[in-house]
Amino acid sequence: MRPVDRTWLAVAVAGVLASLTLRPLTSDDAYLGAGWFLIVLVAVTAVVGDRLRLSKLLVTLLQVLLTVVVLVAYAITPGDPALPWWGRLGPLVVEGIDHMQVSTAPMPPHAGAAVILASVVAGMTLVAGVLADQLERPALALAPLATLFAVPAVALRTDVGFMPFVLCATGYLLILLADGLNADRAWTRNVAADEQTAQLRGSGVWRIATLIGVPAVALSIAIGTVAPTLTTTFFESLRPGGTGPIEMSDPQLDLRNNLTRPENAQVLTYTTDKPTGAYLRMTALPLMGPDGWAQSRVSLRQGALSPVPGVPTMPAAGSRTTSVQIGDFRSMYLPVPYAPRAQDAAGEWSHDP
């Protein structure tokens, strides 16, 4: 087996393992078939290019070209044959992006989302292969593999478990093992002593791989049980306290995500002592721009709620009490009636004056 064969075999297996880390994001596994086909395609292209003695740059260009052509063909197949290919590809990708933005994990099946996920899998595997083979920097192949792991680890609001971490770590170790075997096979083949020494070195590579790989996988399990559970609250606790602007999610997008979920769900209930009911709100959208109303920069404070401008300390009608029970309501904002004097909610909540 040639060094290129061994390297791309390891890269292909690593790409297949890393692609499985995206499964918690979607209920449709269609992206796996397309992604795995592209992984095999780029690996075979590299092997054939090595047999034909093509330059590394030309092989990479061929891999990129074939990947794009296959992705376009895969994307436009379900579309209207009467439309040109670009008329089918563009709307499908736009719909896929919109579907991914408004859906909750696991996403329902969508052709556009499958194309996007397959392209991500193929692209990251190709980058790992270029780093390991063309640039001869196999240690850097961890970056694209870790990217596939980071997507669900960051996007999901639940623990992804340690298995995705182990899959990426295993694929990375295979690439390093292939590089070690390639270096070990680089001997002269001129005398019998070289062959005997090479055999000894070959067994040494496997022993070293075992000594390094087993503890590394065990460590990845230990780290994976902790790392994916780090939430935004954890990272916010690391920054200095006090007031100031902070990046928060778009409340309109939060509402849209909740309203367009594929299943019916009771996200909140409330009771109030106001006879006509209470109007709940999460935030104000005071800025008007070309795209409509938007939120201003948020400056959060903790402690007692600030007085509401233009509202007397105690209105003539007296105080009202509203109790809100939150279910599977996915938002960074707490729905409250206007204008609140005090709140009592579990956890640490801040307010924008």
Side-chain angles (χ1 to χ4, degrees):
M1 181 180 293
R2 296 189 179 187
V4 171
D5 302 352
R6 191 178 293 109
T7 298
W8 277 99
L9 177 60
V11 169
V13 175
V16 170
L17 294 177
S19 68
L20 297 175
T21 64
L22 299 178
R23 291 194 66 196
L25 297 177
T26 177
S27 60
D28 183 17
D29 290 338
Y31 82 94
L32 289 177
W36 292 351
F37 177 80
L38 290 170
I39 290 174
V40 173
L41 179 64
V42 297
V44 171
T45 302
V47 172
V48 173
D50 180 68
R51 294 293 193 281
L52 298 177
R53 301 182 181 276
L54 301 178
S55 66
K56 297 289 188 181
L57 178 59
L58 180 57
V59 171
T60 302
L61 293 177
L62 288 175
Q63 289 173 315
V64 173
L65 179 62
L66 290 174
T67 300
V68 172
V69 170
V70 172
L71 277 173
V72 171
Y74 175 69
I76 66 177
T77 299
D80 186 0
L83 296 175
W85 67 268
W86 60 86
R88 286 176 276 174
L89 178 63
L92 181 66
V93 174
V94 172
E95 292 174 4
I97 296 174
D98 185 66
H99 176 78
M100 297 173 71
Q101 289 178 337
V102 303
S103 300
T104 56
M107 298 181 297
H110 189 276
V115 171
I116 294 173
L117 292 178
S119 63
V120 170
V121 169
M124 291 299 99
T125 305
L126 179 57
V127 171
V130 171
L131 291 172
D133 180 28
Q134 279 83 333
L135 300 182
E136 298 182 353
R137 294 292 186 272
L140 299 181
L142 177 62
L145 299 178
T147 300
L148 293 176
F149 163 77
V151 172
V154 173
L156 296 179
R157 301 188 181 185
T158 58
D159 181 12
V160 298
F162 65 85
M163 187 54 64
F165 199 90
V166 173
L167 292 175
C168 288
T170 303
Y172 180 58
L173 289 174
L174 289 176
I175 294 176
L176 295 182
L177 177 62
D179 179 67
L181 291 174
N182 289 340
D184 178 71
R185 295 300 187 269
W187 47 283
T188 60
R189 297 180 182 269
N190 290 327
V191 294
D194 286 340
E195 183 175 359
Q196 181 179 4
T197 304
Q199 292 175 354
L200 293 175
R201 286 202 304 265
S203 60
V205 169
W206 288 104
R207 286 197 297 268
I208 293 174
T210 303
L211 292 175
I212 296 177
V214 173
V217 172
L219 182 61
S220 68
I221 295 176
I223 297 176
T225 57
V226 178
T229 63
L230 300 181
T231 62
T232 55
T233 305
F234 171 81
F235 292 104
E236 289 173 1
S237 65
L238 298 180
R239 65 180 179 87
T243 61
I246 185 174
E247 281 293 325
M248 298 187 68
S249 62
D250 187 348
Q252 298 179 98
L253 182 59
D254 289 344
L255 285 176
R256 185 180 183 185
N257 290 341
N258 281 284
L259 290 172
T260 57
R261 293 169 61 178
E263 74 282 350
N264 294 325
Q266 183 171 305
V267 296
L268 65 87
T269 58
Y270 82 95
T271 56
T272 180
D273 56 6
K274 184 177 180 180
T276 57
Y279 178 78
L280 302 180
R281 58 181 288 176
M282 297 188 297
T283 185
L285 304 176
L287 302 181
M288 181 62 180
D291 298 327
W293 294 98
Q295 189 180 25
S296 60
R297 297 190 69 179
V298 176
S299 182
L300 297 181
R301 295 182 182 178
Q302 293 184 341
L305 298 182
S306 305
V308 181
V311 177
T313 304
M314 184 57 66
S319 63
R320 301 286 186 185
T321 301
T322 301
S323 176
V324 183
Q325 292 80 38
I326 301 296
D328 192 15
F329 186 70
R330 305 176 183 183
S331 175
M332 298 176 67
Y333 301 85
L334 182 67
V336 295
Y338 184 84
R341 299 299 194 284
Q343 62 88 19
D344 181 16
E348 295 183 1
W349 289 89
S350 302
H351 70 279
D352 181 5

